[in-house]
Amino acid sequence: MLSSLDDSAARSRAASAAPFGAASASLAFSDVEPGEDQRWSTWPATQPSERGPQPRPGWLVTSAAAIDTELGVVKTGKEADLWLIERAVPGAPADVPGNAVLLAAKRYRGAENRLFHRSAVYTEGRGTRRSRDVRAVQRSSSYGREVARVEWAYAEFAALSRLTELGAAVPYPVQVSETEVLMEFIGDGRVAAPRLAQVRTTPEGLRDLFQQVAAFMRTLAHAGLAHGDLSPYNLLVDRDRVVAIDLPQVVDVVANPNGFDLLHRDCVNVCEWFTRQRLECDAEELFAELVGDVTR
């Protein structure tokens, strides 16, 4: 369940750089140095618990010789911005898997930019934090806001990792470090996939999209989980495939006293949109089915 994920995330929250000897074992030295809007790949500096689950995809770039290049902001949000990153080994053939890849970097904003806030409705029933951290978050001090954004980054990474293991349609989580979550970029070339809310298709295509969304919700329900904030704005459609995003608030439906209410809201949000697109959808029927999956 998600509570165990929170405990694991908490244990790995403080990222530490790997010793130079460990990183240099796979380092292919070159005359190339990171330039403006670039950095050395942060993969070698992450701990195993801060990396995506096995088996890892073949496109993943793990070479310590790789460089991360910022290509611009994909999306801005209230609490985080999404950047497009190219991770590539300089001089290596880009068409060979493991040499170059586009990634999405979700960066939770700092205390200096805005008041970071997430409703406690999502966090009830999760692992217990240190009392000092809890008080700091409640007081909304600078330290508390820093704690909050780090916790949400690790919560999102934990949720992505768990859902990947369950076979749910989510971006593969590459790594997490402090307030940045690096994940698979969902899109065509450098263009992000459209949100479900932007898609217009045939009645048959709409029915297929709904079936994919319902299948995603069932996968979570079988594991006792709910997205908690599901809507056509955090579902992407990539070549007719639905992919769910924005997952830091995933809830354990049983452990969280608001769990079933949040699951019901997900059903209502989804069905209201499909109904407006003239596809018959009964939110109460979907909710009853998912409750049965949770309690089975």
Side-chain angles (χ1 to χ4, degrees):
M1 292 299 183
L2 196 63
S3 56
S4 63
L5 292 176
D6 294 327
D7 294 339
S8 176
R11 287 194 298 271
S12 65
R13 195 163 287 133
S16 60
F20 177 76
S24 63
S26 62
L27 180 60
F29 290 98
S30 71
D31 295 330
V32 177
E33 289 291 336
E36 186 177 356
D37 297 328
Q38 290 184 323
R39 67 186 182 190
W40 289 112
S41 167
T42 54
W43 175 268
T46 55
Q47 301 177 30
S49 59
E50 296 169 330
R51 298 172 179 174
Q54 301 273 14
R56 298 191 175 110
W59 50 257
L60 195 62
V61 178
T62 60
S63 171
I67 289 177
D68 292 347
T69 303
E70 292 185 353
L71 302 178
V73 177
V74 177
K75 173 190 168 187
T76 59
K78 293 179 180 179
E79 295 156 352
D81 295 324
L82 193 71
W83 289 74
L84 182 62
I85 302 289
E86 180 188 54
R87 174 166 288 177
V89 179
D95 57 346
V96 175
N99 284 345
V101 67
L102 290 177
L103 300 172
K106 187 170 184 179
R107 295 170 179 169
Y108 283 88
R109 293 184 178 182
E112 70 279 5
N113 290 325
R114 62 169 275 113
L115 173 63
F116 188 93
H117 173 72
R118 280 276 185 170
S119 173
V121 69
Y122 296 117
T123 57
E124 292 188 59
R126 292 191 176 183
T128 304
R129 298 178 299 195
R130 293 187 304 170
S131 58
R132 174 176 179 251
D133 291 349
V134 172
R135 291 194 300 271
V137 171
Q138 290 172 343
R139 289 197 304 267
S140 193
S141 65
S142 295
Y143 172 74
R145 292 194 293 271
E146 182 68 16
V147 168
R149 71 188 188 113
V150 171
E151 286 194 344
W152 281 101
Y154 276 80
E156 177 143 36
F157 179 78
L160 285 168
S161 298
R162 175 63 172 143
L163 298 188
T164 295
E165 293 171 335
L166 292 173
V170 298
Y172 177 81
V174 174
Q175 65 182 76
V176 61
S177 179
E178 294 297 328
T179 59
E180 179 185 82
V181 183
L182 270 178
M183 66 189 81
E184 176 185 4
F185 175 67
I186 305 299
D188 186 6
R190 296 187 179 186
V191 180
R195 297 179 177 90
L196 176 61
Q198 301 170 301
V199 172
R200 298 296 178 266
T201 185
T202 64
E204 293 76 16
L206 199 63
R207 187 172 299 106
D208 177 66
L209 293 175
F210 171 72
Q211 290 172 349
Q212 290 188 59
V213 175
F216 169 77
M217 297 175 77
R218 287 189 204 99
T219 298
L220 269 65
H222 278 299
L225 305 173
H227 184 285
D229 193 28
L230 197 61
S231 80
Y233 294 96
N234 49 32
L235 291 165
L236 304 181
V237 181
D238 181 39
R239 302 175 185 85
D240 298 322
R241 174 175 172 258
V242 176
V243 180
I245 59 172
D246 294 338
L247 296 151
Q249 73 292 316
V250 167
V251 295
D252 184 318
V253 177
V254 176
N256 188 312
N258 307 292
F260 285 102
D261 289 337
L262 293 170
L263 177 60
H264 183 263
R265 188 177 69 180
D266 284 352
C267 295
V268 171
N269 288 344
V270 166
C271 283
E272 282 186 349
W273 186 83
F274 278 102
T275 298
R276 288 197 298 271
Q277 309 309 309
R278 300 183 180 178
L279 178 71
E280 185 176 345
C281 179
D282 188 325
E284 300 307 321
E285 181 179 322
L286 178 60
F287 177 63
E289 177 190 347
L290 296 176
V291 168
D293 289 337
V294 170
T295 58
R296 184 172 300 167

